[in-house]
Structure formats: structure tokens, C-alpha cells
């Protein structure tokens, strides 16, 4: 997950950094630093991604059209 994908995923869910921090069991400062492009522990990024995926976000890899996110089909 790239920092911009994290921001896009939160926007799609209508989550604040505090919402993601709660769902991922990481600090809000960790999310803010990651989204700003600063270093974050791999384990923290994995927790954030897992929380976003559990909420219905799918991460789209770089595939010629650019990386991104979308909501999973119900």
C-alpha cells in the first residue's frame, strides 16, 4: 500500500485518521507520518491495510492504468 492509496481508501470509507487508527490498532501519528511519505513500520502498514480491506477496500496494483483503490462488490 502506498501513502496515497491509504488516503484514497480512507476517503472512500469516510474515515478519519482516528477511525483508521482505532480499527488498525495503531497510533494516529503513525498514520499521519505514513500518509505524509515518512517511514512507518511494515507491521503498522500491514495492520492499516488489513483494517481497510476488512472494511471493503480493494487495492489495485500498478497495472498500466496506475495504482489505486476501489470498493469490493457486496
Amino acid at each position: 500500500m502506498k501513502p496515497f492509496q491509504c488516503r484514497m481508501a480512507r476517503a472512500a470509507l469516510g474515515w478519519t485518521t482516528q477511525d483508521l487508527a482505532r480499527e488498525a490498532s495503531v497510533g494516529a501519528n503513525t498514520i499521519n507520518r505514513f500518509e505524509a511519505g515518512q517511514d512507518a513500520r511494515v507491521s503498522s502498514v500491514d495492520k492499516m491495510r488489513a483494517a481497510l480491506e476488512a472494511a471493503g477496500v480493494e487495492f489495485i496494483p500498478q497495472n498500466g492504468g496506475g495504482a489505486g483503490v476501489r470498493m469490493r462488490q457486496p
Side-chain angles (χ1 to χ4, degrees):
M1 174 173 70
K2 304 284 188 206
F4 75 90
Q5 287 176 300
C6 188
R7 291 189 301 272
M8 290 172 68
R10 282 194 311 100
L13 293 169
W15 284 8
T16 64
T17 54
Q18 291 80 14
D19 295 327
L20 178 54
R22 182 183 62 251
E23 295 298 321
S25 299
V26 300
N29 287 337
T30 299
I31 295 166
N32 290 330
R33 283 192 314 270
F34 175 70
E35 289 185 351
Q38 298 172 10
D39 289 336
R41 290 184 177 164
V42 172
S43 61
S44 295
V45 176
D46 289 344
K47 288 179 183 179
M48 292 186 288
R49 182 177 178 137
L52 293 165
E53 288 175 336
V57 172
E58 286 185 353
F59 290 88
I60 303 167
Q62 180 73 29
N63 60 3
V69 300
R70 66 176 167 217
M71 297 303 294
R72 188 172 48 244
Q73 292 284 341

